[in-house]
Every structure is written in structure tokens, then in C-alpha cells.
């Protein structure tokens, strides 16, 4: 049967059921620029993934373990073994760990439990777009304030803002995506002291940075630190993230997480990954050294470059339109993140640190474009 004949037969059989579908909530449109276009190119430096696959031994261990899994049964709902492994890796207790499907799901669970109608989430822009997006989706009122011109959070005005807004959630991002700078430790401490709400430090890129807020987490401190397997652990495809938090906050996540949200294979794969931390640490060291090389090379070109403590670099062509440069790079099969139309980032582009060969392809293409 042809497609048209099939559709006609379907309409006839539906007996008057066919009509326009209802519209979704009118406030669902995604803030412009979140999704990075998935353009087929040879060099992909747009989504801050690891350029290296996870260790082969990890994959072998996962395959081996998969054979013994009872897939007919639901997974351990509390992901106990995974929590214990993450907790011992960080030197905290298992009841201070909440794992989820990527750190985005951790952020969503936090907003569901601590945000919602009549509550506010505070953040300083530009920052990770999903902080405001998820807050919005969960009905949380968003309070957005600008960062200083160097993209740091000005400590004086931040404290006044916290006291004025009285947020239920404060989002910090260290290192901040897409600008690359780690939040200042003294500012983070001051914000925790000033806030009555929960302070969330998103450390998706934490292992590339010189300091972490994980050491500040305690049962009587209103601080949550969010981490992911997507970057340092080279497992963006696994969709696993977690938070380190006071036990009471972790307990409250159980009220909003769907039952059995973490599948059995993911729980095992995430636990096994932690056995390969020395491989991961050497990759992080290599990426940091390649980042410094990229920054040095970019500094010799007619672009403004911001210092980075992450696995990406924000830069802005000085004499050319950012979007034009992005297009010219795509034409040379190099994809970077076009942030040039994002508020506060006019003209800027963001490049993920890739393999040395990818970085050289990017630099060669950029030199040609800017010549
Ligand atoms: N936080 C930040 C700051 C990010 O940049 C990202 C990924 N782009 C995430 C969280 C989400 O990571 P995932 O859901 O893959 O863990």
C-alpha cells in the first residue's frame, strides 16, 4: 500500500478522531542557542566531550559483567554499590551521594525538590544555559544577574543580591561553562554564608580546575556539588552524573526521582569506571597541557582569549564577526560552539580541547580564516 493510500485508510478507520493536536504549555520554547548543531564534520570541538574513548579494560570489564546481569529484574533502586564506590572515591559517606542520568538529571531533581512554584533560583549570566532552563521547566522563578566584565561574580554585589532575592536555590558553575573560569573560593564561601537556600556548585568540569567545593560539603552546610562522568571520565554516552550533598538533601531526592531511574548496566559501568582513575587522571593532565598550548597559540592570533580552568576555551575574533568565523571554520570541517549571539557573549566562540591533531587542524583552519 502506498503512503498516501495508507494515510487515507487510517483516516477512514479513525472514525472522526482526526483533528489538530493540542498545543503544549506555551512557555516551553528552549532558550535560543542551547542545542549545538550536529553538523557532520571531521573535527568536532563543540560539546566539551573527552576526545579519547574510555580505557579498553573498562569496556572489557563491563562486557564481562553484563553476562551475569539478571536483565529480567529491576535494578537496585538505591544504586547502593555505585553510591558506595563514588563515596569512597570522594571520601564521603554513601548517604551523601545521589547518582542520576547525567548531571542534568541531578539539576532537574534539585529543582523539583527545592524549586517550584513560589520559589526562586538565582544565577549569574552568562552561565550553563540549563540552569535557567531546568528552573523554568520546573516552575521555579528565575533571578538572573550579570557577571562582571571578566566573567567573575563580583562578591560585594553578589551578597547584596542573595539577601535581596532570598533564593531557594543558588546556581554556581565552577569552572563556568561557557566562560572557563572557576568561581572564586572566597566568593563561594561568602555566598553559602549569606544564603538561606541551597547553594549548588556545578562542577561538570571540576577535575580540570585547581580547586573543588567538594571538600566543603557537610551535613550541616547548605551546599551541593554536582559532578558528571561525561567529561573527565570520557563517558558522555553513558549518561551518568551525581551530587555530593548533605544526607538530608540526598534523602529528599528520593521523593522526586522516578523509581529505578538508573539502569542496571549504568550502575555497574559507573562503579567499574572508578577503578581506572589513574588513566583518567593522566588524560586530564594531557588535556590541561594541550589547553595551555591552545591558549598560547590563540594569543598569537587577532583574537581575545579568556583564561580557562576547563577543557574548553572561550575566544573572540577581534576584527571579524563571530558567526562568520564559525561558518568559515565549518566550511573547513571544524566545528566549534557558536556562542556569538548569546547575551553577554557577543562575538564569542568556544572551542573544546581535542586531541593534539584536532587542535592543530583547528588552529590551521583559524589561521587561514583570519589571514
Ligand atoms: N553542567 C555543565 C556546566 C555542563 O556543561 C554540562 C554538559 N554540557 C552538564 C552539566 C550536563 O552534563 P551531563 O548531563 O552530561 O552530566
Amino acid at each position: 500500500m502506498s503512503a498516501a493510500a495508507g494515510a487515507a485508510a487510517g483516516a477512514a478507520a479513525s472514525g472522526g478522531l482526526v483533528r489538530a493536536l493540542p498545543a503544549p504549555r506555551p512557555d516551553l520554547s528552549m532558550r535560543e542557542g542551547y542545542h549545538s548543531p550536529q553538523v557532520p564534520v571531521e573535527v568536532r570541538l563543540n560539546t566539551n566531550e573527552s576526545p579519547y574513548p574510555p580505557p579498553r579494560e573498562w569496556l572489557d570489564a563491563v562486557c564481562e559483567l553484563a553476562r551475569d546481569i539478571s536483565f529480567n529484574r529491576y535494578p537496585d533502586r538505591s544504586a547502593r554499590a555505585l553510591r558506595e564506590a563514588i563515596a569512597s572515591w570522594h571520601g564521603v559517606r554513601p548517604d551523601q551521594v545521589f547518582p542520576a542520568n547525567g548531571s542534568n538529571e541531578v539539576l532537574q531533581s534539585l529543582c523539583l525538590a527545592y524549586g517550584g512554584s513560589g520559589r526562586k533560583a538565582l544565577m549569574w549570566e552568562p552561565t550553563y544555559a540549563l540552569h535557567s532552563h531546568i528552573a523554568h521547566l520546573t516552575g521555579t522563578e528565575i533571578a538572573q544577574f550579570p557577571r562582571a566584565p571578566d566573567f567573575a561574580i563580583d562578591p560585594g554585589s553578589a551578597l547584596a543580591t542573595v539577601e535581596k532575592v532570598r533564593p531557594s536555590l543558588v546556581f554556581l558553575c565552577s569552572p563556568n561553562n561557557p566562560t572557563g573560569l572557576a568561581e572564586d573560593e572566597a566568593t563561594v564561601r561568602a555566598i553559602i554564608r549569606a544564603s538561606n537556600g541551597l547553594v549548588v556548585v556545578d562542577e561538570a568540569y571540576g577535575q580540570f580546575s585547581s580547586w573543588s567545593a567538594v571538600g566543603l560539603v557537610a551535613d550541616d552546610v547548605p551546599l551541593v556539588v554536582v559532578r558528571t562522568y561525561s567529561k573527565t571520565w570520557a563517558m558522555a554516552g553513558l549518561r551518568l552524573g551525581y551530587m555530593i550533598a548533605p544526607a538530608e538533601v540526598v534523602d529528599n531526592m528520593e521523593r522526586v526521582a522516578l523509581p529505578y531511574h538508573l539502569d542496571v548496566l549504568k550502575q555497574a559501568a559507573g562503579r567499574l569506571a572508578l577503578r581506572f582513575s589513574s588513566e583518567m587522571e593522566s588524560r586530564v593532565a594531557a588535556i590541561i597541557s594541550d589547553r595551555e598550548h591552545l591558549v598560547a597559540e590563540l594569543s598569537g592570533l587577532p583574537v581575545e582569549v579568556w583564561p580557562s580552568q576547563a577543557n574548553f576555551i572561550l575566544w573572540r575574533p577581534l576584527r571579524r564577526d563571530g558567526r562568520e568565523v564559525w561558518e568559515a571554520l565549518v566550511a573547513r570541517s571544524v566545528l566549534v560552539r557558536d556562542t556569538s549571539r548569546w547575551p553577554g557573549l557577543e562575538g564569542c566562540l568556544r572551542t573544546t580541547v581535542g586531541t593534539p591533531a584536532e587542535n592543530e587542524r583547528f588552529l590551521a583552519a583559524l589561521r587561514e580564516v583570519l589571514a
Side-chain angles (χ1 to χ4, degrees):
M1 200 189 299
S2 73
S14 67
L17 300 182
V18 175
R19 68 195 127 103
L21 298 180
R25 274 164 52 178
D27 61 341
L28 278 192
S29 61
M30 177 71 94
R31 203 164 85 172
E32 208 236 324
Y34 175 66
H35 286 301
S36 194
Q38 296 194 306
V39 184
V41 288
E42 286 161 20
V43 180
R44 320 179 59 85
L45 302 174
N46 62 329
T47 43
N48 299 344
E49 294 146 319
S50 169
Y52 306 109
R56 177 80 220 176
E57 295 75 19
W58 168 79
L59 194 57
D60 291 343
V62 173
C63 293
E64 188 63 30
L65 200 135
R67 283 197 199 90
D68 296 329
I69 288 176
S70 307
F71 281 101
N72 55 318
R73 300 289 178 195
Y74 281 115
D76 173 15
R77 204 169 61 199
S78 64
R80 188 183 40 80
L82 175 63
R83 280 183 200 215
E84 281 170 2
I86 295 172
S88 90
W89 198 72
H90 279 288
V92 299
R93 298 192 318 271
D95 66 356
Q96 294 177 311
V97 177
F98 173 72
N101 293 290
S103 51
N104 282 337
E105 197 192 28
V106 176
L107 298 170
Q108 186 186 50
S109 304
L110 283 165
C111 282
L112 285 170
Y114 287 89
S117 171
R119 291 175 161 234
K120 291 183 196 153
L122 169 62
M123 63 212 72
W124 286 270
E125 301 287 350
T127 191
Y128 182 44
L130 271 254
H131 292 167
S132 55
H133 181 68
I134 295 173
H136 175 74
L137 284 182
T138 56
T140 313
E141 191 183 322
I142 302 161
Q144 287 161 301
F145 288 80
R147 286 170 181 263
D150 64 355
F151 297 132
I153 296 174
D154 175 68
S157 67
L159 295 192
T161 302
V162 169
E163 267 149 36
K164 192 176 85 196
V165 174
R166 304 189 73 75
S168 299
L169 284 160
V170 179
F171 284 108
L172 300 171
C173 193
S174 186
N176 186 41
N177 180 12
T179 58
L181 266 190
E183 310 285 28
D184 178 63
E185 180 173 353
T187 308
V188 173
R189 285 175 178 270
I191 289 174
I192 298 169
R193 271 194 296 272
S195 168
N196 289 323
L198 207 53
V199 177
V200 179
V201 182
D202 182 340
E203 289 193 358
Y205 306 94
Q207 278 145 282
F208 298 105
S209 167
S210 52
W211 88 278
S212 165
V214 170
L216 302 179
V217 173
D219 281 344
D220 47 5
V221 175
L223 167 70
V224 170
V225 178
V226 180
R227 289 280 182 111
T228 180
Y229 278 62
S230 297
K231 319 291 176 183
T232 330
W233 290 95
M235 293 177 189
L238 191 64
R239 308 306 301 125
L240 181 60
Y242 59 91
M243 71 182 192
I244 308 290
E248 183 184 312
V249 177
V250 169
D251 212 39
N252 286 330
M253 294 301 101
E254 312 299 347
R255 301 166 194 248
V256 293
L258 295 175
Y260 310 111
H261 67 138
L262 280 183
D263 72 72
V264 64
L265 200 53
K266 178 178 324 215
Q267 292 188 26
R271 184 166 53 75
L272 290 174
L274 300 174
R275 293 191 192 155
F276 297 91
S277 49
S278 61
E279 281 87 340
M280 288 308 150
E281 274 153 24
S282 60
R283 283 147 199 252
V284 170
I287 288 170
I288 290 175
S289 123
D290 292 345
R291 175 188 79 202
E292 294 313 306
H293 169 71
L294 258 181
V295 168
E297 292 294 317
L298 282 169
S299 307
L301 295 174
V303 300
E304 184 175 7
V305 190
W306 281 270
S308 169
Q309 295 222 26
N311 66 340
F312 56 83
I313 299 160
L314 188 76
W315 53 281
R316 170 163 45 204
L318 287 177
R319 296 190 285 272
R320 293 279 304 276
D321 175 62
R323 175 73 54 95
E324 253 177 57
V325 171
W326 181 82
E327 280 165 1
L329 288 172
V330 171
R332 287 161 180 79
S333 214
V334 174
L335 182 63
V336 300
R337 189 63 178 265
D338 180 10
T339 54
S340 65
R341 301 287 198 268
W342 292 16
L345 293 175
E346 288 74 13
C348 294
L349 301 172
R350 190 196 69 192
T351 300
T352 305
V353 180
T355 61
E358 288 172 328
N359 300 337
E360 290 315 314
R361 279 276 310 265
F362 159 68
L363 285 169
L366 184 61
R367 283 192 197 104
E368 205 177 279
V369 170
L370 297 178

